[in-house]
Amino acid sequence: MENGKIRWGIVSTAKIGREKVIPGIQRSRTGIAAAIASRSPVVARDAASELGIEKAYGSYEELLSDPDIDAIYNPLPNHLHVPVTLQAVEAGKHVLCEKPIALNAKEAEQLRALPKDRLVAEGFMVRAHPQWIKAREIVRSGELGELKAIQAFFSFFNTDPENIRNLPGLGGGALLDIGCYTMLAGRYFFDAEPQRVVSLIDRDPEFGVDRITSAMMDFGGGRHLNFTVSTQLTPFQRFQLVGTQKRLEIVIPVNAPQGEAVPLRLDDGSILGDGSAETLTIPPCDQYAELVDVFGRAISGEAPLPYGVEDAIQNMKILDAVFASADKGGWIEIK
């Protein structure tokens, strides 16, 4: 650690790292973006120069062997999440890995064998954003009455045949890329685990990946999560948390603008068409910086890690069940 801060190494020059997570590390209170690696030394040096990072490596192995690096951020394509995370922990590093943690639960379960003194977490920045934290506080306060239904929609349009989201061998498709957020909303806001799921998937005939996935999850006690995600629809995202007394709308639930205020809408439904909605403004923040600080405080021992390997495995079990339901054409129990 340098001046009490965690020195981060970033594996690859992926767009999410360059544009979101590395700036988040640099804005965080606990971390320093100290090194970046690419399979190309030139690409690594260019990225380091552009982002103001001290060290650049021409291979992932060089970065992982650097004794000055405390933690690794892994934004590689989905099929490399587990292999490189295993390598990083074996090299003595803590790892924050992009979602989804793996291609399936069986692969994710390999992470259980890692040394417990090295922390591994799945990079769901939304759980560190004050808007999700505030929304759950409202749910827990009882202001919505009993939270009974969550409706989540998340879509964008991408038909680039070279994009990793359209390559099935690399873990592409809507469910793994963005459906993981909608599923997570149910676990987070219901404070419970889904018991069973039924789903419907439409696959792109050329790419073979799921381009529209819809599902209903039963959380027990009459609590339902319904979601639709798509990689080939008009860009849109919105989550509705609907209780017996009020509903809460998260307007930009996933891609909240870094450094900008965002609204929550609380509505008792007394005037239809949002006429009775009250807007709650969440102050500006950088949810990636917040996530880095959550992980950083866990590394330094200041606070426990709220979501670790077991949480990530559970996420994959649920996503596996969504795929299995579509294949079966009926309900799948989640165990």
Side-chain angles (χ1 to χ4, degrees):
M1 298 176 68
E2 181 178 307
N3 298 323
K5 292 193 173 184
I6 289 119
R7 292 178 60 84
W8 284 84
I10 297 87
V11 181
S12 99
T13 56
K15 181 178 179 181
I16 182 69
R18 296 193 323 271
E19 297 186 0
K20 301 293 185 180
V21 180
I22 293 172
I25 293 171
Q26 292 169 329
R27 295 186 187 113
S28 73
R29 295 180 291 277
T30 62
I32 296 171
I36 190 167
S38 170
R39 291 193 177 96
S40 163
V42 173
V43 171
R45 286 195 296 270
D46 287 348
S49 175
E50 175 189 347
L51 295 163
I53 295 174
E54 176 187 351
K55 296 180 181 180
Y57 290 110
S59 74
Y60 305 149
E61 292 74 18
E62 285 183 275
L63 172 59
L64 298 183
S65 65
D66 185 339
D68 294 329
I69 298 301
D70 306 304
I72 296 295
Y73 166 60
N74 178 0
L76 291 164
N78 295 344
H79 72 297
L80 293 175
H81 285 177
V82 167
V84 174
T85 295
L86 291 171
Q87 292 174 25
V89 174
E90 288 165 1
K93 315 302 184 188
H94 305 281
V95 181
L96 180 63
C97 183
E98 256 307 316
K99 54 75 198 167
I101 198 76
L103 297 178
N104 51 57
K106 183 178 180 180
E107 185 185 37
E109 286 170 356
Q110 297 178 56
L111 301 173
R112 282 190 175 131
L114 292 173
K116 303 307 179 187
D117 63 345
R118 299 296 94 177
L119 301 181
V120 175
E122 194 170 15
F124 280 113
M125 72 293 182
V126 290
R127 290 189 294 204
H129 197 296
Q131 70 169 346
W132 275 53
I133 295 170
K134 179 62 175 178
R136 188 162 69 172
E137 287 175 357
I138 292 171
V139 171
R140 288 174 170 175
S141 75
E143 187 170 359
L144 302 186
E146 293 183 73
L147 178 62
K148 289 292 189 178
I150 297 175
Q151 294 186 329
F153 197 100
F154 190 178
S155 61
F156 61 84
F157 196 92
N158 184 331
T159 53
D160 177 2
E162 301 300 320
N163 190 280
I164 59 173
R165 293 165 184 81
N166 293 320
L167 299 175
L170 303 188
L175 183 61
L176 289 182
D177 189 46
I178 55 178
C180 53
Y181 290 110
T182 55
M183 168 277 299
L184 191 75
R187 297 186 65 210
Y188 187 84
F189 294 115
F190 281 136
D191 274 325
E193 299 296 341
Q195 299 176 2
R196 59 180 183 150
V197 61
V198 64
S199 65
L200 182 65
I201 288 178
D202 174 52
R203 294 186 179 275
D204 186 284
E206 178 182 353
F207 304 144
V209 298
D210 62 302
R211 59 184 176 185
I212 304 178
T213 294
S214 298
M216 174 184 289
M217 291 185 184
D218 175 10
F219 280 78
R223 295 172 297 179
H224 300 168
L225 164 69
N226 297 278
F227 74 75
T228 294
V229 293
S230 176
T231 57
Q232 293 185 25
L233 289 177
T234 302
F236 179 68
Q237 53 185 267
R238 195 69 50 90
F239 290 0
Q240 300 281 354
L241 314 181
V242 186
T244 54
Q245 296 177 15
K246 292 182 181 181
R247 71 172 175 91
L248 183 65
E249 181 178 30
I250 307 178
V251 179
I252 312 176
V254 178
N255 299 119
Q258 286 174 283
E260 294 183 23
V262 292
L264 299 176
R265 294 177 183 155
L266 192 61
D267 190 1
D268 65 6
S270 57
I271 303 175
L272 295 180
D274 296 335
S276 51
E278 170 193 359
T279 298
L280 308 176
T281 301
I282 304 300
C285 83
D286 182 332
Q287 62 184 337
Y288 295 94
E290 297 293 334
L291 175 62
V292 166
D293 283 335
V294 168
F295 198 63
R297 288 190 292 269
I299 290 174
S300 65
E302 294 178 40
L305 183 66
Y307 306 103
V309 167
E310 292 303 322
D311 175 77
I313 293 171
Q314 177 65 10
N315 288 332
M316 294 314 305
K317 286 181 178 179
I318 297 168
L319 295 174
D320 286 353
V322 176
F323 282 124
S325 172
D327 290 341
K328 175 185 176 182
W331 287 95
I332 293 288
E333 300 289 328
I334 301 173
K335 300 178 180 179

